[in-house]
Amino acid sequence: QVQLVESGGGSVQTGASLGLSCAVSRTEFLSHCVAWFRRAPGKEREGVAAMWVGDGTSYYDDSVKGRFTISRDIGQSTVYLQMSSLKPEDSGEYYCAARPAWQTCIWPPKINDYDYWGQGTQVTVSS
């Protein structure tokens, strides 16, 4: 069983930066694809970024390329999402999720491919 605990999030103004963290409680941290999803009000959950933790290969939605960075700290078993130049349309509930061990990242990510989910953290960007 993999448990994910998110932290970070909050309310900021347009153009600000914010960082999210996802602590992964699993010794085989390197064998997972971890992704960040967001659900904007009235919209379906969508993939924002993903990373194959083992080698750091990462993927981004076009809407966040150049503004968001996914990274990991292997020693801390944590995946981060650093968000900059935030826009109101970035607002939503952000979730980190992990695929079962040794299931590679596929982009764009499919929600049903991810078995393990964090509780979500709210990001609100005001204009």
Side-chain angles (χ1 to χ4, degrees), residues 45-122:
R45 199 175 300 191
E46 61 178 359
V48 173
M51 172 181 280
W52 176 252
V53 177
D55 66 5
T57 299
S58 56
Y59 308 83
Y60 297 93
D61 185 76
D62 286 344
S63 66
V64 305
K65 280 181 180 177
R67 300 188 299 121
F68 289 14
T69 302
I70 188 171
S71 62
R72 88 286 200 211
D73 184 324
I74 296 172
Q76 296 295 319
S77 296
T78 300
V79 175
Y80 303 96
L81 185 68
Q82 182 64 37
M83 306 179 291
S84 61
S85 301
L86 282 162
K87 306 174 182 180
E89 52 264 42
D90 293 320
S91 297
E93 190 80 6
Y94 281 70
Y95 301 86
C96 66
R99 296 200 69 187
W102 303 111
Q103 298 299 306
T104 58
C105 289
I106 298 172
W107 194 264
K110 298 179 180 178
I111 293 172
N112 291 340
D113 286 345
Y114 288 77
D115 284 5
Y116 310 105
W117 290 83
Q119 78 282 5
T121 185
Q122 180 68 34

